Amino acid sequence: MERDTPSPSATLGVVVVTFDAREIILDCLESLLGSRGVRLRIVVVDNGSGDGTPGTIRDWAANGREAPPAGGPVPIAPAVAPFLADTPEEMAAASGHALQLVETGRNTGFAGGVNAGLAELARIEGIDRFWILNPDSVVPPDTARAFATHPAPMEGFSLMGGRVLYYDRPEMIQIDGGTIDRRTGITGNVNLFAPHAETPPADPAGMDFITGASMVASRRFYEEVGPLREDYFLYYEEVDWALRRGDLPLAYCPEAVVYHRAGTAIGSATHSRPPSPFSLYFKHRARLMFLRRFFAGSLATGQAYSLAKAGQYLAKGYPAEARALLAGAFGRPPSATVTGRLDPSAREILARHRKGASA
């Protein structure tokens, strides 16, 4: 049983977390500004970028840009410079789409950035849904409206997802939703690599979580469960969040399509290359943290998986990737290759969490 569809003039909150995203963020924001049938309140949280991302956003907001790059799965028209607000109250008063830039001044990780954005949006009355979107994504004009107006079950929902397609292979699905192997903590992508045009919408009842690349949280879920846990730093934050949802179900919006430049931010795996050492360290560190919290009885099999997977990387000629995976899984400090991409505050956060885990 479903409620009536909300008004097409609904307002949707959006959180976009950036870190060294100068080359991609304007495509994302201009595609969002092309959204129709909905008003967007967009909070961009910059996690201490060293490439001038905040300045790029401010200059664009003041002057626009001559033209977006040609090509891509979503035609992006040159956008009128957005209303750049200083506070949530200023955003709330805007008649059209509005943007707020929040600078943390340090790398707080994915969850830390998202939580900062959610805290800003939660101050705006009338926003009942918060869309968390990766900066290396572009969205068609009707995706935001679909997320804002898709009917929810009578009991409400926790997290809502849609279809995420590969930016460079727009006919191919990256993920419709996520599953968890409770023996190892490994996550899976529903409909991974399946053809978009021939694959029916996914059933949220068959999902364990919604991908953090594009997920909508209901205000009720956010207020009842609380924000994302920040000690994962990268990966598994959304998996953990979903498993804390209680009786609130997951939801799926078939019309909400996102095109994702997979792996551009942290070197995650794509359909053509393995993950980077940076990605592997944090993913397997987070996987074992997740198992300890939710499926402690599976720690032994989870660690055995780590050893086997590292052996596969070694056999394929990827020794740095194997070492990074093992260091993350067994609680060892990251290599210089990994720490070289972290600012001092991020290194301090990780050291503190390692100390706490071993105490």
Side-chain angles (χ1 to χ4, degrees):
M1 189 173 183
E2 295 179 335
R3 296 185 218 154
D4 291 336
T5 300
S7 165
S9 62
T11 301
L12 181 67
V14 186
V15 178
V16 180
V17 179
T18 58
F19 179 75
D20 289 353
R22 180 170 59 87
E23 299 297 328
I24 56 174
I25 186 58
L26 296 188
D27 289 350
C28 177
L29 295 179
E30 288 194 349
S31 73
L32 282 170
L33 292 181
S35 298
R36 55 199 178 201
V38 62
R39 290 181 302 171
L40 299 184
R41 302 293 179 249
I42 306 165
V43 178
V44 178
V45 180
D46 186 74
N47 257 346
S49 290
D51 70 343
T53 296
T56 296
I57 294 171
R58 287 197 182 91
D59 180 69
W60 164 72
N63 305 305
R65 62 173 173 169
E66 292 183 3
V74 177
I76 302 174
V80 174
F83 173 67
L84 187 59
D86 291 324
T87 66
E89 291 75 20
E90 287 187 5
M91 277 211 298
S95 58
H97 303 318
L99 174 72
Q100 180 185 355
L101 176 61
V102 174
E103 295 184 65
T104 65
R106 61 195 182 98
N107 192 346
T108 61
F110 173 74
V114 169
N115 289 342
L118 290 174
E120 294 295 300
L121 289 173
R123 294 166 54 185
I124 303 176
E125 293 184 6
I127 301 182
D128 293 322
R129 299 182 183 186
F130 309 118
W131 183 17
I132 297 152
L133 179 68
N134 268 22
D136 53 353
S137 303
V138 295
V139 301
D142 294 319
T143 289
R145 176 200 53 78
F147 269 143
T149 63
H150 186 71
M154 283 296 294
E155 67 272 29
F157 72 93
S158 54
L159 297 164
M160 180 185 295
R163 177 159 289 178
V164 179
L165 303 172
Y166 284 104
Y167 180 94
D168 59 342
R169 296 287 300 275
E171 77 285 354
M172 181 185 290
I173 298 172
Q174 182 187 7
I175 187 169
D176 271 346
T179 59
I180 306 164
D181 185 330
R182 286 156 173 76
R183 299 165 300 172
T184 62
I186 290 296
T187 59
N189 290 17
V190 174
N191 292 327
L192 177 65
F193 302 149
H196 170 44
E198 302 168 20
T199 305
D203 181 358
M207 303 174 190
D208 293 314
F209 67 94
I210 303 298
T211 177
S214 174
M215 65 177 171
V216 174
S218 69
R219 180 181 284 270
R220 177 184 169 188
F221 168 74
Y222 174 66
E223 292 179 347
E224 290 183 2
V225 174
L228 290 156
R229 284 180 168 138
E230 297 184 11
D231 55 353
Y232 288 103
F233 195 74
L234 290 172
Y235 295 112
Y236 279 81
E237 302 97 334
E238 75 271 40
V239 187
D240 179 298
W241 216 21
L243 264 63
R244 291 189 279 137
R245 69 184 183 271
D247 294 330
L248 284 174
L250 300 177
Y252 182 83
C253 178
E255 297 82 18
V257 172
V258 167
Y259 296 93
H260 183 213
R261 292 179 171 102
T264 61
I266 51 179
S268 302
T270 71
H271 53 79
S272 61
R273 62 165 170 76
S276 68
F278 186 90
S279 172
L280 284 165
Y281 176 82
F282 283 105
K283 187 166 191 176
H284 290 274
R285 170 185 175 273
R287 177 173 60 86
L288 270 296
M289 290 174 64
F290 171 79
L291 281 177
R292 288 187 183 94
R293 282 185 167 136
F294 292 96
F295 307 108
S298 297
L299 272 175
T301 52
Q303 290 172 333
Y305 175 90
S306 302
L307 293 169
K309 193 67 178 177
Q312 289 180 2
Y313 281 120
L314 281 173
K316 293 178 180 179
Y318 296 112
E321 286 78 2
R323 287 193 297 270
L325 186 159
L326 292 174
F330 289 93
R332 305 302 300 166
S335 68
T337 302
V338 174
T339 57
R341 296 186 58 186
L342 301 173
D343 64 20
S345 63
R347 291 195 289 270
E348 181 183 344
I349 289 170
L350 293 181
R352 185 166 62 248
H353 290 159
R354 280 202 310 276
K355 185 177 179 180
S358 62

